[in-house]
Amino acid sequence: IIDPSVWYEKLPGWKKPAWGQVGDGLHNTTRYGELEDVNTEEGLARRESLGVMYRNWHPGPLLFQTIADIMAYYYSSAMLLALDKVGKSKNPFKDFPKVPKVLNKHTMPKPLMCREEWCNVDEPPGCGDFEQPTFGKHQARVLDHNDPTNPLRLEPVTVEEPWVQIEGEEEVNLIPREERDLEIGCHHADKCGGWKKVANKEAGWLTLQLPKMEVGMIAVCFTCSAVDGCGGSMINNGLEVKLEDQTLPGPFVEAFEVCVMIQDRFQAEISNEFGHLHIGIRFPASSPEVLLSHVITL
């Protein structure tokens, strides 16, 4: 079983993701790219572009093909295994009914690549995504400071410039230069965004209303240019956190490189008269710019 965090290190010829790298050590382009006319400048550029493993933090065409091939191989192997079991069964209609028994967490074995208290839950994680495009409804949302349900509305903080929600521009520069003017129309719809604290200004508390949680895991994620991980940078910048009106002492830890794990489970019983729990985050006035992009709960 391959650890999903380092799966790419197990692929033959592929050792480490690098933005813009063409080829995985075994292939230089996708099967689709093989059809391009390499005798034209546009066809040659297109073929090379289709061979990119990572555009940026998003996969490129060749990596998408790699993942698709892995899934096709996995499910094909499962189908062959199923057919083999059916063929060897003396009573296949009884052993393999058309409507199989429903599996749930109580009939499944222990998870192999996930913490048991995180995987054996009834509901999926809840989240808030402040980047664009985002589909569906936010399960975690930012409360106005003066909202009557905001447990931090009376905190004595003199705000110089409050948190503000921003939306970035379409990242045209992330589209390969050779493809920006193609007739097929390439777009990079992803836009950075989130709730921003201005550098060297007191922004006060940013309060987030959280969805129902079963485990009590809370993580907040940021966008930044830190080389060693955005989460660690935020901790070093003096991140303060309150759950309801209780200050959480930490220690906070970096998670998923760009996030800070506020807590991995409930530490004690806690409730709110309005039915939702809230966290407040704050940084010292002297901290650099901060951009909160996501909230994850479980």
Side-chain angles (χ1 to χ4, degrees), residues 164-176:
V164 60
Q165 187 172 18
I166 65 165
E167 179 182 314
E169 300 294 329
E170 183 174 337
E171 294 285 358
V172 178
N173 291 334
L174 295 177
I175 301 172

Side-chain angles (χ1 to χ4, degrees), residues 10-233:
K10 305 298 182 181
L11 292 180
W14 180 244
K15 301 303 178 187
K16 186 178 181 181
W19 291 11
Q21 177 177 321
V22 175
D24 61 2
L26 297 175
H27 313 88
N28 290 323
T29 191
T30 59
R31 289 184 287 274
Y32 185 75
E34 296 286 355
L35 303 177
E36 292 291 334
D37 184 359
V38 296
N39 295 314
T40 66
E41 183 177 346
E42 183 177 299
L44 189 61
R46 181 73 175 150
R47 176 174 174 154
E48 181 176 300
S49 176
L50 289 169
V52 172
M53 288 292 279
Y54 272 92
R55 288 288 190 215
N56 38 62
W57 54 94
H58 297 100
L62 185 55
L63 183 51
F64 277 120
Q65 176 179 287
T66 300
I67 295 171
D69 287 351
I70 291 172
M71 293 177 67
Y73 179 82
Y74 183 87
Y75 284 112
S76 297
S77 299
M79 290 175 65
L80 290 173
L81 179 61
L83 290 171
D84 184 58
K85 288 186 174 182
V86 170
K88 292 179 179 178
S89 173
K90 294 181 179 180
N91 192 343
F93 292 100
K94 179 180 178 181
D95 295 338
F96 304 98
K98 288 186 177 181
V99 181
K101 294 180 179 179
V102 177
L103 298 177
N104 57 45
K105 70 177 184 180
H106 301 294
T107 56
M108 297 289 286
K110 290 185 177 181
L112 298 176
M113 294 187 291
C114 176
R115 290 170 58 167
E116 188 171 353
E117 67 269 27
W118 287 5
C119 285
N120 285 350
V121 293
D122 293 320
E123 299 293 333
C127 67
D129 178 5
F130 306 118
E131 295 186 327
Q132 296 293 332
T134 298
F135 305 95
K137 295 181 179 179
H138 292 291
Q139 295 161 298
R141 67 185 184 93
V142 172
L143 285 185
D144 182 89
H145 182 73
N146 296 316
D147 190 299
T149 66
N150 186 345
L152 303 178
R153 66 187 182 280
L154 301 179
E155 284 290 317
V157 177
T158 302
V159 175
E160 297 177 273
E161 194 159 344
W163 292 82
V164 60
Q165 187 172 18
I166 65 165
E167 179 182 314
E169 300 294 329
E170 183 174 337
E171 294 285 358
V172 178
N173 291 334
L174 295 177
I175 301 172
R177 184 175 292 103
E178 300 84 358
E179 299 181 35
R180 293 175 192 171
D181 299 322
L182 291 182
E183 292 182 2
I184 57 174
C186 295
H187 297 279
H188 193 289
D190 286 10
K191 301 176 184 178
C192 290
W195 286 86
K196 183 176 78 170
K197 173 208 172 289
V198 176
N200 302 313
K201 296 287 186 179
E202 176 59 70
W205 290 94
L206 181 70
T207 305
L208 293 143
Q209 178 181 285
L210 305 177
K212 177 184 177 182
M213 293 181 289
E214 184 174 340
V215 178
M217 186 276 281
I218 306 171
V220 289
C221 309
F222 302 87
T223 298
C224 72
S225 57
V227 176
D228 297 326
C230 203
S233 175

